[in-house]
Amino acid sequence: MSGLLKAWAIFLREMGAYFFSPIAWIVIFLFLVINGSMFYAFSSVLTGQPRQITMVVESLFEFSIFWILPLSPILTMRLFAEEKRSGSLELLMTAPVTEFQVVLGKFVAAQAFYTIVWASLLPLLVMLEVLGDPDWGPIWALYVGLFFLGLLTNAMGLLASASTRNQLVSAVLALSGNLLLFFLQMGQSLVPEDALEARRWIRFLSFTSHFEGEYSRGIVDLRYLFLYASLAVFFLFLAVRTVEARKWR
Amino acid sequence: MIEVLELSKSFGPVRALDKVSFRAEDGQILGFLGPNGAGKSTTMRILTGFLPGDSGSVRVGGHDVCSESLRVRQILGYLPEGVPIYPEMRVSEYLRFRSRLKGVSRADRRGAVAQALADTHIEDVANRVIGTLSRGYRQRVGLADALLAKPRVLVLDEPTVGLDPEQVRQFRQLLKEVGRDRTVILSTHILSEVEIVCSHVVIIHKGRIVARDTAQSLRRKYGAAERTVAEISGPLSEIVCALGKIEGVARVLSSPLSPGVEPVDASTRFGYHRFTLEAAQTDDLREAVYRAVARGGWTLRELRREAITLEDVFVEIVGGERT
Amino acid sequence: MEMTGKKTAARASFSTRKRWSMRLSFLVGLFLAFYSLFLANGIVFRHPVRIDLTEEKLLSLSRDSLERLKLITEPVEVVIPTLLLRDNPDHLAQHDVLTRARLLLSEYLAAQPLIQVAAEVDVLEHPDRWERIRAEYKLESSQLNRFIFFAGKGRERRQTVTPNDLAFFGSVRDPGTDVPEVKAFRGERAITSALNRLVTVDRRAVYFTQDKGEAQFRPTSEKAVGVGGIRVLLGELDSQGLEGRPLSITGLREIPVDCSVLVIAGASQIFLPEELRVIDAYLERGGKLLVALGVRRTGIESCLEDWGVRVLEGQVQSYIDTPLSKTSHAVVAARQFSRSHPATSIFVNVPRFEVQLELPRPLVPGGKGKGFDAAPILSAVSHRGVDYYLVGLPGSRELPKPADFDLVLAVSQVIPERPPPEFQRRDTRLVVTGSATFLGDQYFLRSSNRDFLMNCLRWLLGDEVRSTEGGTEWTKRTLRTDPSIERYLFWVPIFLLPGIFLTAGVLVYHVRRT
């Protein structure tokens, strides 16, 4: 219980760090300006007449899905690398907290901020609700998918941040991890078409195809959520070990 | 309270600590003296459980820093070198965050923060953002943090670096106050600080303990030693010879002042040299130097006495150990 | 400060051994974590659980489909050869439907792991592969843009689902350029029934009476009296897992026990009282009867009256009144159907529903009853341009007043809301149609004739709950177009919303600095 309280303290401090630094606001601002412009384009011109709401929603997320790539690296690069560089990690780790509590607090903060960034799109969707009658099923499914995928990418970013003292290196590491997952779908073309099992596995692992095939159609496959979450747990485990590593490296 | 036994630590090929052993009892203020790179900070980090040693054992308050790290950290307040605290937080926010982290209960939190603010006299900046504070204030915020959970052991790494003289004076006063009922380890490279504040002194050099003593006996040994510095223009070898002949001079060191930048004496066409004379006893050599210069007809433009610095003490001690 | 070496060794905080053991425990932990990650996901991979969040449950399988999937006990392979020529409007429409159906098929795969997609091949992109698949599965080169299901040893059983099974397409003005609009989607029904046909081994029997001038299994001549052959209908039954069998009612003591539905299609000779008794006895014991009336009275009418269907004299014909011509037709297009009756409610979403009956005899619910209710499920309703008249004989010049006529009635037991204890449930069901021509070979595939008849048969067989579930409409949700709204669409997402966040950021930053 007191352990959770300490993680909570870390969480509060990290949330403060996000909101008190201009970067967070700039990220949200850019996110909204770009997605808002695309939203306008989709809803007024690109989807043709009559303007189909399902297509507006689909196109909006199809476009904004690319934010997954840079978002988590930007949000997580600071978390450990900055503390290592400035030396405040020393102060943090000499307080009576465990590595797990620190990692948990920071991770939850990154996840919360990530969720806030995505939630900033909701007003646009509420506009659709006013102007028409969108099916909220696919929207919620997309959000569920984004949230769980965020668990994975944020955990990966946290691990990258914990393994270096340079924020840029951390961001690049996390980004390459994301890109790997992102382009996994392309790997399907490398596998012979008869290797069905391999193709099934690739499809299972590649989150882009989950967004195309399932979430944007309103389907949530619990397998994928489990996959993301279990990978996230694995990366968090590695992150805890990496922070600990100074003791036995 | 603190017990360090044969602690060794290497960073790659560099041996940072070599079988360091010392202990500090309850109520002691232990000065940990050494030049930069002597292994002070490494020792502090191992003491606080941030880094591991290679071999040896460290116990704080009866707990092993490796296997009972959390217990140790609960009774320990630490001020690291350079005070790396979050610049974007306000002072009071930061202290509240740290008190949460240190497990101060919700009910006591407000009181603990207020107490720490009062102890370190920083109530006036409680609502300022740390990034905008001066170095001295930051140092004191760090100290307030270290004091927060009323730790039984305080580990302070170079706490007076960057403070102005008045702040240093206040800080030492404060340290005496808080040191009454707890064990304090204080690392520094300034001898005077140790003299004023500490009851016990450990001197470390190149990873080895070279002296363990009380502050008083240390002062008796080295405090009065001094040297004389003179800047003279004239033929070098003659001057060295003449100075060497002065009674009581143990050693003469000469160093040329950079030619071109320093003006050449128009009358003699010689450049100035700085001569450092080390005395065997604590006699004032200035008169004798002046007379020697006058006798030689050289030009003298500076003559002063200098208190011996810690570096010199080390040269002394390390040299003495080797012979 | 005295310390012995022994003491030091006994309680060393740090040692090389300790460090190595920590490294080792990290590696072991890493391995275990990795292993359990693999294991857990390997298990989960095989057990898909999918949640459909769409409002209309577009991608949820109905309970019936799921139950039928449970009946599958052998591996089923699916081959999906696709060909998309961008300039072919049919291909574009088919592609749209197949994409949707493919999503739905994923739900089937998720619910029943025995079904596996064996090959999905783009014929244009991988012609060699298509050749190999064709050889392996013995397919024709024209069998494209469809789902082909295989089952059994040596894949001897197969079922095909084509885009026309999956959706209703609208008609187009110019077939060369216009893309047919997808009017409604009925993917679940098509796929479920295909799978059902694939795995059903024991087939239900549908008996057709054959010796009263009814529609013939093997027509003697093209111009046979009555409705002619019903080969198309029999083929359709066959593909639905039903077996059509001829039945001679002359001298018959009892309708066969394995009779699922008895069909009397277009009889033109008189039924003897014994024969009617046999039919009545069959109905009394819970039989299912489909009567498609011929043009003449055959005596079956009195039997129907016992069950609540009265057949009026004369025939209905239509009179089309356009500015250019006024003509009367023997063919009556019945479009009005019951939206609540299970036999026809499935057609609610179908854009153009029409059953073409030739000179049908009008029906009226009523008669003696027996606690049964006859519900009109298909009617011809006069409206502007088309009127319906009841005439004694075709070609009569004298026209009575135009009116509306019920042409098909469905009879089933009335079940009170609170059945008394002595209430007896009876499974007897009847469908009576005013004409039999629509199920003959010439007409069966026209308009909605086939859909209507097959659905009536399903209702008779008691499958109506199943067949009406699924087949969800893919509603189109559109955005209101309005110039005043247009402005908001521009300002709010691009300026107002980001502006709010930017202002908030500047405010926070300002407050924090001071």
Side-chain angles (χ1 to χ4, degrees), chain A residues 84-113:
Chain A
K84 281 185 174 180
R85 194 194 53 73
S86 74
S88 53
L89 188 68
E90 194 175 337
L91 208 45
L92 188 63
M93 296 320 302
T94 51
V97 287
T98 61
E99 280 81 2
F100 172 72
Q101 288 156 4
V102 173
V103 167
L104 183 70
K106 283 175 184 286
F107 172 72
V108 174
Q111 183 68 21
F113 193 80

Side-chain angles (χ1 to χ4, degrees), chain C residues 232-297:
Chain C
V232 182
L233 170 60
L234 290 172
E236 183 71 26
L237 290 179
D238 192 46
S239 73
Q240 303 276 343
L242 299 167
E243 189 182 346
R245 292 184 193 164
L247 178 72
S248 174
I249 201 162
T250 318
L252 195 71
R253 291 264 195 86
E254 193 180 39
I255 304 292
V257 187
D258 64 345
C259 175
S260 297
V261 178
L262 179 66
V263 181
I264 304 170
S268 54
Q269 294 165 23
I270 306 291
F271 281 86
L272 299 175
E274 307 91 85
E275 291 161 355
L276 289 177
R277 265 201 298 282
V278 167
I279 293 170
D280 203 56
Y282 168 68
L283 288 176
E284 286 288 353
R285 64 167 208 256
K288 316 280 195 287
L289 177 66
L290 174 71
V291 179
L293 294 165
V295 280
R296 299 191 200 122
R297 286 190 73 88

Side-chain angles (χ1 to χ4, degrees), chain C residues 432-508:
Chain C
V432 183
T433 67
S435 157
T437 47
F438 76 104
L439 48 75
D441 287 346
Q442 276 176 290
Y443 297 98
F444 186 63
L445 291 179
R446 286 196 197 167
S447 297
S448 310
N449 294 359
R450 164 194 172 275
D451 288 348
F452 176 71
L453 183 77
M454 294 315 291
N455 218 52
C456 285
L457 274 177
R458 285 205 192 94
W459 177 71
L460 286 171
L461 288 164
D463 296 349
E464 80 282 355
V465 185
R466 298 164 180 180
S467 52
T468 45
E469 258 181 277
T472 342
E473 178 72 340
W474 221 284
T475 48
K476 293 212 170 86
R477 299 154 182 279
T478 50
L479 210 57
R480 254 189 291 156
T481 23
D482 188 340
S484 61
I485 288 168
E486 208 86 343
R487 264 213 317 273
Y488 290 115
L489 272 182
F490 181 70
W491 284 102
V492 174
I494 304 183
F495 293 97
L496 185 66
L497 267 178
I500 289 172
F501 277 90
L502 194 65
T503 318
V506 169
L507 267 177
V508 167

Side-chain angles (χ1 to χ4, degrees), chain C residues 151-176:
Chain C
K153 282 176 212 141
R155 305 177 181 125
E156 79 272 5
R157 275 174 288 140
R158 67 169 73 175
Q159 285 292 335
T160 303
V161 175
T162 63
N164 286 315
D165 294 326
L166 293 167
F168 296 99
F169 290 97
S171 52
V172 289
R173 229 173 292 149
D174 180 1

Side-chain angles (χ1 to χ4, degrees), chain C residues 324-357:
Chain C
L324 294 175
S325 67
K326 297 181 196 312
T327 45
S328 62
H329 287 268
V331 173
V332 171
R335 295 209 184 88
Q336 180 88 22
F337 60 91
S338 161
R339 294 177 156 263
S340 55
H341 197 275
T344 45
S345 57
I346 189 171
F347 300 111
V348 167
N349 289 323
V350 176
R352 188 178 165 84
F353 176 81
E354 178 182 292
V355 177
Q356 293 180 349
L357 301 162

